[in-house]
Amino acid sequence: MKLQVTIIGAGVAGLCTALALVRRGASVRMIDGGAPGHGASWSAAGMLAPGYESATDSPDHPRLFDLLFDARAFWRDWKSGLGSGADGIGYWNGPSIAIGLTAGQSSVFRRLVRHQRARRLEPREADHLGEIDPGAYDSAFWLAEDGQVDNRALVSVLVETLKALGTTFETRSVGEGKIDPAQLACDVVVDARGWRSPGMTPVKGTALSLAPDSRLPRCVVRWGRNYLVPKADRVVLGAHAMKGLSDTSVDDAIIGELMEEGAELYPAIRDIEVLETWSGVRPRSADGAPVLGWASPGVFQVGGLYRDGVLLAPLLGEWAARSILGEAADPLAEAFDLSRF
C-alpha cells in the first residue's frame, strides 16, 4: 500500500519534496492557505547564487557554504527531470556580476574568490562594466556558479507536473499550531509552512519589477543586499528586508528607496515603467541555515530556506523524501537536521 503523505505548505520547498516523494511511489496531498506557489516562492527573484550568498551572509552554521554549492550542482541534473517543462523555466547557468561598492565589500568578495578557487571554481575579477560609471563602484566580480531561474514559471511547472502525477491540492488555512497526522488521515505530514513553522522567524522583503529595457543588464547584478534580475518579461529589483514582520503590505517609501539605490548604478531605472510591487515573507531559522528532520512522531519538517529557497528546494526535497522513506541519508544532510536545536 502506498505511503499516504500530506504536505502543508505548497511553496517551492513543499512542491519539490512532493515531487521527490511521488517519484518514489508515495501518494501526496498538498494543503496551502493560498494558490500553490504564490507565497514567498512567488515573491522571490529566483537566483541560484551560492557564490554571492556565501560572501554576504554570516550564518552560525559551518556547513552552509558546502550546502549551497552542493545544491547548485544538484540543480543542473534535477531540472532535466522536469521534461519539456524545463524549457519554460528561464534557467540561466550564469555567470552573475557581484559589485563591491566600497573597499570593505571588495575585500569580502576577494576572500570568497580565494575560497572558491580552493574548490576549483573559477570566479574572476571584472576589469570593467560598460553599462556602469566606473566611479560608482570599487570592484566587480564575475561569479561563474551563480545563475537564475524564473521562480514563478518554476512553481507553475511543478504544480502542473504534480497534478499530472496524481497529487491533489487543497486550499484552506494552514495556521501556526502543532500538527496532528491523525486528524489529517495520513501516515506522514510534511511541515513546509515557511515562516509559520516552529522555530522560524519571519523576514519581510519588498521588491518590484520593471519593464524589460536595453539599458538594463542582461545578467544578474548584485550589490550589497540589492539585485537586478532580468527575466523574459520583467526585471526584478530588490530587496528591502525587515526581520520579524510577516505582513505583505507594500510601503511606497521603500519602493522609492529601492528605485534610487538601483538608479545609482543604472540611472535609466528612474524612467522605466514599474510593472509590479510586492512584499513576501521568508522563513529564517535561528542560525540562518535550513532545517529538515522529524519534529514529532509522524511530522517531518523542511524549511528555513530563507533567501535561498529556489536554490535549496530541489536538494532538500530529495533529502526529505529519503528520510521519510527510510533511505540512506546524505552525510551533509545530517548537519542540517532539526535536532541541532
Side-chain angles (χ1 to χ4, degrees):
M1 185 174 178
K2 287 186 176 182
L3 184 73
Q4 304 294 312
V5 180
T6 297
I7 299 179
I8 304 181
V12 67
L15 293 169
C16 288
T17 302
L19 187 59
L21 285 166
V22 169
R23 285 175 169 167
R24 287 168 165 80
S27 176
V28 176
R29 168 180 59 161
M30 304 201 72
I31 299 174
D32 196 282
H38 277 63
S41 302
W42 199 259
S43 302
M47 288 176 287
L48 309 174
Y52 196 86
E53 292 299 309
S54 299
T56 58
D57 205 1
S58 300
D60 299 322
H61 197 294
R63 301 300 305 277
L64 183 58
F65 185 93
D66 299 314
L67 175 62
L68 292 171
F69 280 94
D70 281 8
R72 184 68 182 96
F74 186 80
W75 239 100
R76 292 184 174 89
D77 292 330
W78 178 84
K79 66 180 176 61
S80 64
L82 297 176
S84 60
D87 297 333
I89 61 174
Y91 178 81
W92 167 254
N93 197 48
S96 295
I97 299 172
I99 294 176
L101 297 179
T102 66
Q105 290 179 3
S106 297
S107 67
V108 170
F109 288 132
R110 290 190 177 98
R111 287 198 301 271
L112 171 75
V113 166
R114 291 193 294 271
H115 195 166
Q116 290 191 26
R117 284 176 178 160
R119 296 170 61 104
R120 299 186 179 181
L121 301 172
E122 295 298 331
R124 66 187 191 278
E125 191 161 355
D127 295 330
H128 63 86
L129 300 176
E131 305 92 338
I132 304 175
D133 179 357
Y137 64 94
D138 182 75
S139 64
F141 298 84
W142 291 101
L143 300 181
E145 296 294 306
D146 288 16
Q148 67 144 318
V149 67
D150 188 325
N151 51 294
R152 296 182 176 183
L154 172 65
V155 294
S156 297
V157 167
L158 286 170
V159 170
E160 293 307 311
T161 299
L162 285 166
K163 286 181 177 178
L165 292 171
T167 300
T168 60
F169 290 82
E170 298 179 21
T171 303
R172 56 187 169 98
S173 176
V174 296
E176 299 178 41
K178 294 184 69 174
I179 296 171
D180 183 356
Q183 292 181 351
L184 293 168
C186 61
D187 301 309
V188 174
V189 176
V190 175
D191 183 353
R193 291 178 290 175
W195 67 268
R196 294 180 175 86
S197 295
M200 295 296 122
T201 297
V203 181
K204 177 181 177 179
T206 297
L208 61 98
S209 62
L210 301 164
D213 191 287
S214 61
R215 294 170 291 177
L216 295 180
R218 293 182 295 276
C219 69
V220 176
V221 177
R222 304 190 70 175
W223 68 103
R225 294 293 183 181
N226 298 78
Y227 50 74
L228 274 168
V229 186
K231 311 290 185 185
D233 59 352
R234 66 195 188 281
V235 180
V236 179
L237 170 61
H240 185 278
M242 292 171 284
K243 189 176 181 180
L245 297 183
S246 59
D247 69 282
T248 55
S249 61
V250 177
D251 186 330
D252 290 340
I254 291 175
I255 295 297
E257 290 174 11
L258 287 172
M259 292 281 288
E260 284 306 306
E261 288 165 1
E264 289 178 5
L265 292 180
Y266 293 91
I269 284 174
R270 294 189 177 97
D271 54 50
I272 295 175
E273 179 188 3
V274 176
L275 300 178
E276 184 184 1
T277 62
W278 66 86
S279 292
V281 185
R282 303 181 179 109
R284 189 186 192 279
S285 71
D287 62 5
V291 299
L292 70 163
W294 294 102
S296 60
V299 179
F300 191 92
Q301 185 174 339
V302 54
L305 279 64
Y306 193 28
R307 295 201 312 268
D308 300 302
V310 175
L311 170 63
L312 294 173
L315 181 58
L316 291 185
E318 174 74 11
W319 285 353
R322 290 182 192 175
S323 294
I324 291 166
L325 297 171
E327 299 178 8
D330 186 302
L332 182 58
E334 297 175 5
F336 297 91
D337 193 276
L338 182 62
S339 62
R340 74 183 187 272
F341 296 121

